[in-house]
Amino acid sequence: MLDDLYRQIVMDHAKYKRNYGKLEGQKGVHTILYKNPTCGDVMVLYIQLGENGIEDLSFEGEGCSISMASCSMMTELLKINTVKECREKREAFERLIRDGELKDDVDLGDAASLQGVHRLRARHNCALMPWQALDKWLEEQEIGNH
C-alpha cells in the first residue's frame, strides 16, 4: 500500500512538474546544464541566490518519469534553503538512493518517495540527475569562496 502511494507521488510529479521553466527576469541566475551519461536524460537547472542561500530554483528538461519527478521534487525541497542545508539534503538523498537509508534528521519531503529506486540500480542515475547538477553548482560555490 505504501509503495502504491509512493508510486502515485512520483507519477504526479512526473506529470505535473513543479517549478518547470526558466527563471526569467531575475538577475544573477545560475544556469547548470546536465546530461545523464547513462541514459541521455537532460536538464537545465536554474538557481537564484538570495542573501541566505537559494531563493528560487526551477528546471527544464526531458527524460524518464523518475528523472523528471526527481527534478520536480528537488526544486520544491530546496527553495529557501541555505547552501549548508542543500548539502545535507543532497547527501541524505544520495544515501536514500544508493543504500536505501532514510535519515530521520533530514526532511526530504516528497523526494523520500523515491526510496524504492534503491532496488533498481540501473535507475540510480535517473533519480540522482538533478542532484548531480546541483553538485556542479555547489562545486562552483566552493571555488568562489576560496
Side-chain angles (χ1 to χ4, degrees), residues 37-111:
T38 57
C39 68
D41 290 359
V42 65
M43 70 166 300
V44 179
L45 181 63
Y46 302 99
I47 300 176
Q48 173 67 48
L49 283 179
E51 288 182 23
N52 298 317
I54 292 180
E55 190 171 285
D56 199 4
L57 70 164
S58 67
F59 76 100
E60 294 178 312
E62 293 182 18
C64 69
S65 296
I66 291 172
S67 67
M68 292 295 101
S70 186
C71 289
S72 175
M73 292 170 181
M74 186 192 81
T75 57
E76 273 199 327
L77 183 64
L78 297 184
K79 273 190 182 181
I80 317 296
N81 275 255
T82 65
V83 172
K84 181 180 184 236
E85 290 167 330
C86 289
R87 287 182 201 284
E88 289 170 356
K89 290 176 182 181
R90 194 268 177 260
E91 289 170 13
F93 187 77
E94 176 135 12
R95 196 167 23 261
L96 176 76
I97 298 302
R98 301 267 188 224
D99 304 326
E101 294 176 26
L102 186 59
K103 285 189 68 174
D104 291 336
D105 61 335
V106 180
D107 180 11
L108 291 177
D110 284 355

